[in-house]
Amino acid sequence: MDTNILKPKQPTQKRGQIRVKAIRDKAFELLEKQEIDQISISEIAQAAQVGVGTFYHYYPSKEALLLDLRAIILEETANSLANGFESPVQNKDAFLELFNQLLTQWLATLVKYQSLERAVWGYAFKSPGFAEALSVQETALRGITQQILQAHKQILRPASLDTVATTVVMWVDGTISRILRSEELAKDHRWLVAELTRMLGHYLFPDENTP
């Protein structure tokens, strides 16, 4: 896949920004109800009240739109993590409780737009270029995670923070994938969030009996 068709054009003028926001908003609305393969570009353009040519002016492909929408979700997630851990917590229990709350919020957003998430991973499986673009998107999220770990390193198990941050994001991605494959888990995944939080507790923190 030509990587150029994966890059949305960022509007520089207010009129363009309004149009792009309308495209994004309506695409999110449609994705709450339908799978991406059931949604045509003309349908998105009509819902956003823009021409198909305008859509292609900003998004050279449907894949570019998907990456843009997921980037918005990842940015919101990164901001929530940064704000949630703005002031370092003092112990393991407080850290894990806050992580549990933020993970629950993130998963609620992804379940709401689960057709977007399924489409993203489907395209990533079929296209190395798309998969690479997806990985680049998650770099910022890994960076925020590493900053959080750095701020709490005095209470964490000694380890390479870059490796730990990558592992944490991978575990969360795996949890998301599992939830999206199960209608039952999509409706109620509290126990899975609790299990991931428990695993992270063992991975991130020294054993209770360690001096």
Side-chain angles (χ1 to χ4, degrees), residues 159-172:
S160 164
L161 296 183
D162 179 62
T163 300
V164 173
T166 299
T167 301
V168 170
V169 172
M170 285 175 58
W171 281 5
V172 172

Side-chain angles (χ1 to χ4, degrees), residues 1-209:
M1 179 181 290
D2 182 357
T3 55
N4 287 327
I5 70 170
L6 300 176
K7 299 176 181 178
K9 179 180 179 181
Q10 297 301 322
T12 56
Q13 299 182 353
K14 187 171 182 179
R15 183 173 64 175
Q17 293 168 358
I18 292 172
R19 288 174 172 172
V20 167
K21 184 179 185 304
I23 292 170
R24 288 168 169 168
D25 290 346
K26 294 305 177 182
F28 272 128
E29 287 181 17
L30 291 168
L31 284 165
E32 283 189 57
K33 305 170 185 176
Q34 303 177 65
E35 298 294 330
I36 189 63
D37 291 339
Q38 299 171 333
I39 305 171
S40 66
I41 287 175
S42 60
E43 185 177 0
I44 297 171
Q46 183 177 5
Q49 297 184 336
V50 300
V52 171
T54 298
F55 177 96
Y56 279 115
H57 177 72
Y58 295 106
Y59 296 102
S61 65
K62 190 185 286 186
E63 291 88 344
L65 175 62
L66 288 176
L67 285 171
D68 189 42
L69 297 179
R70 193 166 191 272
I72 292 171
I73 292 176
L74 288 177
E75 182 179 1
E76 292 175 352
T77 301
N79 289 338
S80 294
L81 283 170
N83 293 334
F85 285 96
E86 185 174 7
S87 299
V89 298
Q90 301 304 313
N91 56 65
K92 172 182 176 179
D93 290 343
F95 184 99
L96 293 178
E97 181 180 356
L98 184 54
F99 176 84
N100 186 292
Q101 293 173 3
L102 293 170
L103 180 59
T104 299
Q105 294 172 11
W106 183 16
L107 290 175
T109 300
L110 292 177
V111 168
K112 182 179 180 181
Y113 301 115
Q114 56 186 287
S115 61
L116 167 63
E117 196 68 11
R118 280 195 293 267
V120 162
W121 288 108
Y123 281 118
F125 181 76
K126 294 184 291 186
S127 166
F130 192 96
E132 182 178 352
L134 203 60
S135 177
V136 170
Q137 278 191 349
E138 292 193 340
T139 299
L141 188 58
R142 289 193 295 271
I144 291 292
T145 303
Q146 186 170 342
Q147 290 175 25
I148 292 170
L149 296 172
Q150 175 68 34
H152 293 84
K153 65 179 182 179
Q154 72 278 5
I155 62 172
L156 299 178
R157 188 191 302 274
S160 164
L161 296 183
D162 179 62
T163 300
V164 173
T166 299
T167 301
V168 170
V169 172
M170 285 175 58
W171 281 5
V172 172
D173 278 344
T175 300
I176 292 167
S177 176
R178 186 173 176 183
I179 289 172
L180 295 181
R181 291 198 305 268
S182 168
E183 186 174 339
E184 183 178 345
L185 283 177
K187 292 178 181 177
D188 185 2
H189 44 264
R190 288 172 295 179
W191 72 268
L192 197 55
V193 173
E195 178 65 14
L196 176 59
T197 303
R198 185 189 65 79
M199 288 171 56
L200 285 172
H202 287 302
Y203 179 60
L204 295 176
F205 294 89
D207 296 334
E208 298 293 341
N209 57 358

